[in-house]
Amino acid sequence: MTDESETRNVRPATDVERSDPRAMHAANRAAWDQAAERYEGWFDEAVALIRAGGSNLFPVEHDLIGDLRAANGGAGTGRAIHLQCAAGRDTLSLWNLGAREVVGIDISPRMLELAARLTDATGAPATWIEADVLDTPHELDGTGELDGTGDLVYTGRGAIIWLQDLDAWAAVLRRLLSPMGRLVIFDGHPAEWLFDADEEGRWIATDYDYFGGAEASRGWAPEYIDHLSVAEDDQSWKFARAWTLGEIVTALLGAGLRLETVAEHPVDWWAGHRDIRPELRGRVPLSFSITATRGD
Ligand SMILES: C[S@@+](CC[C@H](N)C(=O)[O-])C[C@H]1O[C@@H](n2cnc3c(N)ncnc32)[C@H](O)[C@@H]1O
C-alpha cells in the first residue's frame, strides 16, 4: 500500500486507465515483480518459520480459520487455496495449521519463484499458479481435474486493494469453494486510508478521497516495501483503491455466497500505523474480516 504523505508519485487514475481493469492488473504485476525484491530479503526468515512448524498469521486469523484438522465435518481440510499468495509464507502457514495440500495463486512470477524455493526448502505439498486472480484456472493441480475447489479459500493482507473488478473476483471465490468449504478474508480496512499519525502520534485525517476510486502510484510506504533498487521514478505505475466495505460485501452477495460473519478489527496488519501512541491504538478499524460459505 502507498502512503500518500511519503510519495509525490500519486495521482488519480485517468478515465482511460479506469476503463481497462486488466491493463491496471498488468501494471500491478510489473510493480509487484519489482517489489518482490523486498520479499527476497525475508526468504530465510520464511524458511525458518515454516520449517519450525510456525504460522505467520495473526491470532484473529487463526480464530477465523479454526481447526483445519477438524474441519469439513471431521474429515479435515484437504486443500487450502490462497489467492494473491505472494512469496508463499502465509500459504505454507495454512499447511502448518493442518491443510493437507495448499495452492497459491499470484500474478507475479518473481514472487512465485520465491514461493517455489520455499517449497523446495520445506518439502511442503504446494502448487503455485501464476495467474491474474480473475483468471484463476479451472484446473488447479496438473491432474486434469476441472473446477478444482478448496475446503478453505483464504485471501487478504493487502490483496483486495489491487483488484479492479470485484464482481469477477467474487465469482472466482465462489467457484473455488468446495460444497462444505469456507471462505476467510482478512484484509486492510478501507478506513485506514483516512487516518495517519501526526508528529506526536495522534490520529489525524489524510486527504485521501474515500469514494475516489483507483489511484495510480509509484514508490512504496517505508513501513512495508520502502525503497527498492529501482528508483521511484523508474518504477512501474501501480493501481490500488480502498474498496468500501459496502462494495466488498455487495460483490460477495452478488456472487451468491452466504456470509457468516463480517467484522472490523483494530489489528494493524502491516504496521503501517506504528507511530500512533499505544493508548490511542484500538480506536480506528485498521482491518476487517469476512467468513462465508458457497451458499447452496
Ligand atoms: C500485499 S501482497 C499480499 C501479501 C501476502 N498476504 C503475503 O503473503 O505476504 C499482494 C499480492 O497480490 C498480488 N496481486 C496483485 N494483483 C493481483 C492479481 N490481479 N491477481 C493475482 N495476484 C495479484 C501481488 O503480486 C502480491 O504478491
Side-chain angles (χ1 to χ4, degrees):
M1 178 179 302
T2 305
D3 180 338
E4 290 191 31
S5 64
E6 301 289 347
T7 176
R8 57 206 158 82
N9 270 324
V10 180
R11 60 170 175 80
T14 65
D15 289 345
V16 171
E17 287 167 339
R18 285 170 198 229
S19 70
D20 193 345
R22 300 298 179 139
M24 287 192 278
H25 286 195
N28 289 346
R29 176 184 195 261
W32 274 105
D33 253 17
Q34 291 168 343
E37 174 185 328
R38 180 68 59 241
Y39 283 64
E40 284 164 4
W42 298 328
F43 179 73
D44 291 344
E45 202 183 291
V47 171
L49 176 84
I50 298 304
R51 275 193 185 149
S55 165
N56 195 47
L57 306 185
F58 291 108
V60 62
E61 294 179 278
H62 291 156
D63 290 347
L64 292 163
I65 288 168
D67 182 353
L68 291 182
R69 292 181 177 85
N72 205 17
T77 300
R79 181 190 284 145
I81 300 173
H82 182 190
L83 299 178
Q84 295 178 247
C85 64
R89 174 158 46 173
D90 299 351
T91 322
L92 295 199
S93 297
L94 297 173
W95 174 54
N96 278 345
L97 288 172
R100 283 195 290 274
E101 170 203 348
V102 293
V103 176
I105 292 135
D106 201 277
I107 203 168
S108 159
R110 190 165 167 193
M111 286 288 196
L112 293 180
E113 264 175 49
L114 273 175
R117 279 176 54 200
L118 190 55
T119 309
D120 290 344
T122 57
T127 303
W128 307 109
I129 298 175
E130 183 191 319
D132 185 326
V133 75
L134 306 185
D135 300 323
T136 301
H138 286 248
E139 185 194 340
L140 294 179
D141 56 7
T143 62
E145 178 207 354
L146 290 182
D147 288 322
T149 56
D151 299 322
L152 172 70
V153 176
Y154 165 80
T155 193
R157 287 173 169 241
I160 302 174
I161 62 168
W162 303 105
L163 304 180
Q164 306 299 333
D165 183 344
L166 280 200
D167 291 337
W169 166 74
V172 169
L173 293 176
R174 187 172 184 282
R175 164 169 58 89
L176 290 175
L177 277 172
S178 69
M180 294 191 50
R182 290 183 71 239
L183 169 67
V184 174
I185 300 173
F186 173 79
D187 213 332
H189 196 293
E192 76 166 317
W193 293 51
L194 299 175
F195 299 100
D196 208 344
D198 70 10
E199 285 178 358
E200 289 167 359
R202 295 197 185 85
W203 290 109
I204 50 166
T206 65
D207 56 4
Y208 181 71
D209 178 354
Y210 190 71
F211 298 109
E215 65 176 25
S217 69
R218 289 191 296 203
W220 296 87
E223 298 85 353
Y224 188 31
I225 301 292
D226 202 7
H227 296 293
L228 297 171
S229 55
V230 181
E232 187 170 307
D233 285 352
D234 297 327
Q235 289 176 18
S236 305
W237 286 101
K238 58 189 182 306
F239 296 89
R241 62 183 290 169
W243 290 101
T244 69
L245 275 191
E247 289 167 330
I248 294 166
V249 166
T250 301
L252 296 173
L253 291 172
L257 289 156
R258 195 177 76 79
L259 305 196
E260 290 176 331
T261 62
V262 180
E264 295 160 288
H265 312 279
V267 177
D268 186 6
W269 61 278
W270 63 295
H273 303 273
R274 62 189 174 201
D275 294 336
I276 294 294
R277 293 181 190 184
E279 71 273 17
L280 299 181
R281 290 187 197 135
R283 294 188 178 189
V284 170
L286 297 177
S287 43
F288 76 94
S289 63
I290 296 177
T291 60
T293 56
R294 215 165 76 163
D296 49 12

